[in-house]
Amino acid sequence: MKKIQMVDLKGQYEVIKDTVNNSVIEVIESTAFINGPKVHEFQKNLEHYLGVKHVIPCANGTDALQIAMMGLGLKPGDEVITADFTFAATVEVIALLGLTPVLVDVNPETFNIDVQAIKKAITTKTKAIVPVHLFGQCANMDAIMAIANEHNLYVIEDNAQAIGATYTSSDGTKHKAGTIGHVASTSFFPSKNLGCYGDGGAIFTNDDDLAHRLRGIVNHGMYRRYYHDVVGVNSRLDSIQAAILNTKLQYLDQYNKARQNAAIKYNEAFKNEANIITPVANKACQGICSSCDCHVFHQYTLKVKNINRDDLVQFLNDNNIPCGVYYPVPLHKQKAYEDKRYNEDDFKVTNQLIKEVISLPMHTELDDEQINYITSKIITFING
Ligand SMILES: *Cc1c(COP(=O)(O)O)cnc(C)c1O
């Protein structure tokens, strides 16, 4: 059996090696390292793939979130509601910009931001909601857009973990994740579903004026060379990363399909285990099926009941099965983001999830032998 890895970037690279290598050499030979034609080409290809009017490439997913918030003109004191159960980047940029993060609980089944909790958290200062499409599937965007319209709020989708996923609205229309809110961010960190070989990110929007502002902000607030109209940042996707992404974008659907197939096999193996709760896909899609893309499994995350999760982690480590705990601490309990206004009763779900979640190896190169080994070891452990 091949050694099991959490993410197998090397195996994935081997398949596309020649194309990727040639595209990288092409950039080096051209010396168009910054804002070269490859960046523009990737931007156009991604716009087409997503069905969105504007993609603004930038240096990483954290910058993408920050620039989106700058572009919307959010001001110190404005409150921004986001999920308590996510990677810290989301809350970090809210705090960095002097905005007030308002963390709220998540749904125990989908791990995504809880709609009732959003409603409860809205005040006269609330200006935006940042749903994070966690682990590969969209938050409840129909409900979130309805709340936003009612209260005149911006919606910034953090799409770092769900690129390529499809969201089906209650009226049956389908949207790619990251094209529903006013603006969205994504990350091309190597282990993301569309990953480059370094850092990279992008912002998406259908709003022409916002897109114009964002293109200036990523480039020192310049709309004309050496004329700085607004305070910006320096956040660029470099041409070598764009060349790699251009190749990998062609495989994104295939990669996501491979992740879904692995998820289906995991689900099947665990289906009779009462103490293992497998991922739940959005209701609109009636569960995970091979013909829909509602969930693209950035992570395959279980909840385990009636056993000690940390003992399971140790057992898997001892058996050379990598695993991850995303996330071990809810954001409202992180030192940097503690706030006296928070009440533990408002975080019942995240406080429970941090004890129960465990993410199994999930990548495009997992094979049946590996999945069988992983699942049979876990089942043996669970049943003592
Ligand atoms: C990865 C990630 C980010 C940050 O992306 P970087 O490219 O690493 O800056 C932001 N939000 C979420 C939910 C992520 O998973």
Side-chain angles (χ1 to χ4, degrees):
M1 187 173 65
K2 274 194 302 183
K3 183 171 180 285
I4 300 173
Q5 300 182 67
M6 199 62 191
V7 179
D8 184 2
L9 295 178
K10 183 75 195 255
Q12 193 190 56
Y13 166 65
E14 291 297 337
V15 182
I16 54 172
K17 188 171 180 167
D18 291 343
T19 324
V20 166
N21 288 4
N22 289 337
S23 72
V24 169
I25 290 167
E26 201 187 309
V27 174
I28 297 172
E29 297 276 353
S30 77
T31 71
F33 298 119
I34 303 290
N35 289 333
K38 286 285 176 203
V39 179
H40 190 69
E41 203 183 306
F42 172 62
Q43 173 196 320
K44 290 289 159 202
N45 289 339
L46 188 57
E47 284 168 355
H48 182 253
Y49 174 85
L50 294 168
V52 73
K53 273 174 94 176
H54 305 281
V55 165
I56 297 99
C58 66
N60 57 67
T62 309
D63 276 5
L65 275 167
Q66 177 179 332
I67 294 157
M69 289 179 202
M70 290 170 77
L72 292 172
L74 300 182
K75 296 275 174 332
D78 289 350
E79 292 179 2
V80 179
I81 298 174
T82 194
D84 186 41
F85 190 66
T86 173
F87 182 56
T90 326
V91 67
E92 178 180 58
V93 301
I94 298 171
L96 260 180
L97 291 173
L99 313 173
T100 306
V102 178
L103 297 167
V104 302
D105 213 354
V106 298
N107 178 294
E109 293 197 324
T110 63
F111 309 122
N112 276 322
I113 194 163
D114 181 75
V115 170
Q116 296 310 323
I118 296 176
K119 286 188 186 162
K120 213 181 136 192
I122 291 174
T123 71
T124 51
K125 291 185 182 160
T126 308
K127 288 285 153 33
I129 307 168
V130 187
V132 181
H133 302 324
L134 204 72
F135 301 154
Q137 76 172 328
C138 285
N140 184 345
M141 290 305 290
D142 282 348
I144 291 168
M145 293 312 291
I147 296 170
N149 287 336
E150 188 187 333
H151 297 272
N152 207 11
L153 308 175
Y154 292 120
V155 174
I156 304 160
E157 294 174 75
D158 181 343
N159 196 31
Q161 300 191 4
I163 196 160
T166 301
Y167 180 79
T168 308
S169 290
S170 52
D171 66 3
T173 53
K174 292 188 181 295
H175 313 265
K176 286 280 189 210
T179 66
I180 307 160
H182 300 93
V183 60
S185 60
T186 200
S187 164
F188 304 122
F189 186 81
S191 63
K192 299 283 155 91
N193 290 35
L194 178 61
C196 59
Y197 296 166
D199 274 311
I203 311 154
F204 323 144
T205 185
N206 282 310
D207 179 331
D208 297 339
D209 294 336
L210 177 60
H212 175 74
R213 288 199 297 279
L214 295 169
R215 286 189 208 291
I217 293 169
V218 296
N219 189 25
H220 302 290
M222 277 196 291
Y223 297 88
R224 190 152 59 107
R225 213 172 169 77
Y226 304 121
Y227 290 80
H228 304 272
D229 297 357
V230 294
V231 177
V233 295
N234 171 17
S235 185
R236 296 183 282 239
L237 179 69
D238 76 66
S239 305
I240 289 180
Q241 300 306 336
I244 294 160
L245 287 166
N246 247 333
T247 302
K248 291 189 72 180
L249 179 59
Q250 297 166 39
Y251 294 89
L252 179 58
D253 285 344
Q254 187 182 316
Y255 288 162
N256 282 340
K257 203 52 87 190
R259 289 172 178 272
Q260 287 168 335
N261 285 337
I264 289 167
K265 286 175 191 156
Y266 276 137
N267 283 354
E268 181 63 25
F270 295 132
K271 73 171 183 225
N272 297 322
E273 299 301 323
N275 289 325
I276 301 179
I277 316 296
T278 55
V280 176
N282 282 326
K283 299 281 182 297
C285 300
Q286 307 291 321
I288 300 159
C289 52
S290 49
S291 61
C292 91
D293 301 310
C294 65
H295 201 320
V296 293
F297 294 96
H298 176 59
Q299 298 294 349
Y300 181 85
T301 303
L302 300 172
K303 286 187 288 185
V304 290
K305 306 275 184 187
N306 301 318
I307 61 150
N308 183 321
R309 190 268 322 275
D310 296 332
D311 290 346
L312 174 59
V313 170
Q314 186 58 48
F315 170 83
L316 292 176
N317 287 342
D318 293 345
N319 285 279
N320 297 318
I321 300 171
C323 63
V325 173
Y326 312 114
Y327 297 90
V329 182
L331 292 178
H332 81 277
K333 285 192 179 161
Q334 297 282 2
K335 266 194 203 151
Y337 305 111
E338 281 170 352
D339 190 323
K340 285 194 275 302
R341 292 171 312 157
Y342 293 139
N343 176 346
E344 286 307 313
D345 285 346
D346 291 330
F347 298 102
K348 288 203 179 75
V349 178
T350 55
N351 285 338
Q352 183 69 18
L353 286 179
I354 54 151
K355 295 182 221 152
E356 294 179 348
V357 289
I358 180 164
S359 301
L360 301 185
M362 174 49 78
H363 55 77
T364 57
E365 314 302 310
L366 272 179
D367 63 34
D368 289 359
E369 192 186 8
Q370 292 173 315
I371 293 175
N372 291 339
Y373 177 78
I374 296 165
T375 54
S376 61
K377 284 287 178 196
I378 292 175
I379 291 169
T380 314
F381 177 85
I382 295 269
N383 295 317

